C-alpha cells in the first residue's frame, strides 16, 4: 500500500469514527455532525471550525461537530455511510453530488425547517428547490468573471465585446506572453467542460432547456465556433494544464483568464503585487458558470430539528457576513455587503459578487444526474473540432444524437 493510499484510508477511517461518535460528547446537548471538505482545507478549515464554535457557544440545546473529509473522498465516504443507514446529519455537497443525492433519496426536503419568507436568498437558491420542495440552502457560490492584467493590455482596460477580446488577446501575445488561457485537453475534461460552458452561457446558449437536450442548437454552435476561434488564434499556451497557466498568470505572463473567484484569490495570494483586476466576461450575454455548494440534511438523521436550528443560525446576517469573509471571493446564501476595507484591498471581490444574479450551475439543466456522461461525449467530440477541424454544426449534431442514445439506453 502506498503512502498516499494509507493517508486516504486513515483519513476516511477517522471521518467514519467521528461520524460514529455523533452524540457521544454533547454534555446534555443534542450533538449533530456536519461533514464538509472545506473543514479539511488549510486556513479556511480552521476558520470555519471557529465559526461553528460560535454557534456552539450560543446554544444550550444543540451542538455541531465538524467532520473534515478531503474533497476527493467526501462523496464516496458519505454516500457509502448513507447507503448503510448512517452518515453525517448535515453535508456540504457540491452541485454534482447534490443532484446525485436527490434521486437516491439521500437528503430531506427542509421546507418545514426554513421559512423562506424570512430570508432574501440569492438567485441561485432556486436550483436547490426541486419539484416544489427545498432540499438545502446555499453554503457557497463561486462565480466566474474575466480576470485581467492591466499591464499586458493596451490602455490597461478590459475588452467589453468578443471581437474586442480577440483583438486584445492577439495584441498581448508575444515575447513569452499569451493573451489568454483555457483548457482544451482530455486529461482536464472537467475543467475543459467548465471553460466551454462559460462560452455557451455567454453566447446565450444552454446544454438543455430543462426538458430536452439542446447540444446542437444555434447558440451552442455559435459558442463552440467562438471557442474554436480562440483556440486557432495563437493566443493560448496550447496543451498547458490549469496549474501551469495559472502560475503563468500570477507570474505576469498571461493577460486574461476567465475563472472563478477562488482562482482570483490564489492569484492575489501568490503575487500580492500583480495588480490584476476583474470585469464581466466579454460575451454577448452576462450569464456565466457557477460552482454551487449546498448545505443539506441527511435523510437518515434522527435530529432533523437540531439541523434546522443550525441552518437558521447560519442564515442570520452576522453569521452570513462572517462566513463570506472566511470563504473569500465566494458569495453566500443571502446578499452580504462586504466591508469597505476588503473592497479597497481587493476591488475584484465586488465584481464577482455582482455576477451572482447571472450565474448558472455548469450542469445540463434538467439532466443534472446525466451531466458527467453528457460531458464525456461533448468533450470528446469538441476535441475533434479543435484539433481535427471537424465541422462544428455536423459535430454538434452528432453530439446530440450520441447523448440522446446514451440517455435512452438507461
Amino acid at each position: 500500500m502506498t503512502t498516499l493510499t494509507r493517508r486516504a484510508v486513515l483519513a476516511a477511517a477517522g471521518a467514519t469514527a467521528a461520524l460514529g461518535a455523533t452524540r457521544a460528547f454533547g454534555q446534555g446537548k443534542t450533538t449533530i455532525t456536519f461533514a464538509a471538505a472545506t473543514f479539511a482545507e488549510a486556513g479556511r478549515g480552521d476558520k470555519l471550525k471557529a465559526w461553528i464554535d460560535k454557534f456552539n457557544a450560543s446554544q444550550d440545546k444543540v451542538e455541531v461537530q465538524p467532520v473534515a473529509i478531503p474533497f476527493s473522498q467526501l462523496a464516496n465516504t458519505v454516500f457509502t455511510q448513507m447507503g448503510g443507514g448512517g452518515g453525517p446529519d448535515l453535508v456540504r455537497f457540491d452541485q454534482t453530488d447534490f443532484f446525485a443525492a436527490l434521486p437516491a433519496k439521500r437528503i430531506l426536503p427542509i421546507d418545514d425547517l426554513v421559512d423562506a419568507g424570512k430570508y432574501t436568498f440569492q438567485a441561485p437558491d432556486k436550483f436547490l428547490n426541486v419539484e416544489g420542495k427545498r432540499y438545502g440552502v446555499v453554503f457557497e457560490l463561486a462565480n466566474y468573471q474575466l480576470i485581467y492584467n492591466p499591464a499586458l493590455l493596451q490602455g490597461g482596460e478590459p475588452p467589453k465585446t468578443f471581437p474586442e477580446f480577440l483583438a486584445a488577446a492577439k495584441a498581448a501575445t508575444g515575447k513569452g506572453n499569451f493573451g489568454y488561457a483555457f483548457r482544451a485537453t482530455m486529461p482536464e475534461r472537467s475543467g475543459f467542460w467548465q471553460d466551454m460552458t462559460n462560452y455557451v452561457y455567454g453566447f446565450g446558449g444552454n446544454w438543455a432547456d430543462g426538458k430536452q437536450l439542446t447540444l446542437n442548437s444555434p447558440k451552442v454552435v455559435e459558442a463552440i465556433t467562438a471557442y474554436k476561434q480562440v483556440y486557432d488564434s495563437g493566443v493560448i499556451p496550447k496543451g498547458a494544464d490549469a496549474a501551469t497557466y495559472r502560475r503563468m498568470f500570477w507570474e505576469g505572463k498571461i493577460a486574461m483568464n476567465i475563472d472563478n473567484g477562488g482562482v482570483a484569490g490564489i492569484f492575489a495570494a501568490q503575487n500580492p503585487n500583480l495588480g490584476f483586476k476583474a470585469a464581466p466576461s466579454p460575451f454577448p450575454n452576462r450569464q456565466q458558470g457557477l460552482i454551487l455548494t449546498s448545505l443539506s440534511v441527511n435523510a437518515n438523521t434522527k435530529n432533523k430539528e437540531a439541523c434546522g436550528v443550525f441552518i437558521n443560525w447560519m442564515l442570520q446576517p452576522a453569521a452570513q457576513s462572517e462566513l463570506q469573509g472566511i470563504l473569500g471571493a465566494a458569495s453566500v446564501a443571502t446578499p452580504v455587503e462586504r466591508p469597505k476595507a476588503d473592497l479597497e484591498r481587493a476591488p475584484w471581490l465586488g465584481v464577482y459578487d455582482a455576477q451572482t444574479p447571472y450565474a448558472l450551475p455548469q450542469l445540463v439543466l434538467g439532466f443534472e444526474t446525466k451531466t458527467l456522461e453528457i460531458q464525456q461525449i461533448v468533450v470528446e467530440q469538441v476535441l475533434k473540432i479543435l484539433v481535427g477541424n471537424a465541422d462544428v454544426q455536423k459535430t454538434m449534431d452528432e453530439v446530440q444524437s450520441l447523448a440522446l442514445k446514451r440517455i435512452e439506453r438507461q
Side-chain angles (χ1 to χ4, degrees), residues 235-285:
V235 302
I236 68 169
K238 286 186 179 179
D241 60 15
T244 299
Y245 70 66
R246 286 170 179 167
R247 173 180 51 77
M248 292 171 67
F249 189 100
W250 78 63
E251 290 175 346
K253 297 177 181 177
I254 290 181
M256 295 178 287
N257 185 208
I258 293 174
D259 221 320
N260 66 74
V263 173
I266 292 171
F267 292 164
Q270 292 292 335
N271 186 353
N273 299 317
L274 182 62
F276 73 87
K277 296 182 179 181
S281 297
F283 299 131
N285 291 273

Side-chain angles (χ1 to χ4, degrees), residues 213 367 370 374 402-410:
L213 295 179
F367 300 83
K370 309 296 182 186
I374 295 171
L402 290 170
L404 286 172
K405 289 176 183 177
R406 178 73 61 85
I407 291 172
E408 290 169 356
R409 286 202 301 267
Q410 296 174 352

Side-chain angles (χ1 to χ4, degrees), residues 160-228:
K160 294 181 174 60
T161 66
F162 187 69
E164 287 179 4
F165 163 74
L166 271 180
K170 289 177 182 177
T173 300
K175 299 180 180 179
N177 294 336
F178 291 89
Y180 185 63
F182 61 25
R183 287 161 287 200
T185 63
M186 186 55 74
E188 291 217 296
R189 187 185 85 181
S190 179
F192 187 173
W193 168 266
Q194 291 174 330
D195 292 346
M196 190 163 39
T197 298
N198 283 326
Y199 276 67
V200 170
Y201 290 164
F203 278 86
N206 215 316
W207 300 116
D209 62 8
K211 295 182 180 180
Q212 296 181 333
L213 295 179
T214 55
L215 303 168
N216 61 342
S217 64
K219 292 295 184 182
V220 172
V221 170
E222 183 182 359
I224 302 303
T225 300
Y227 208 76
K228 169 70 168 171

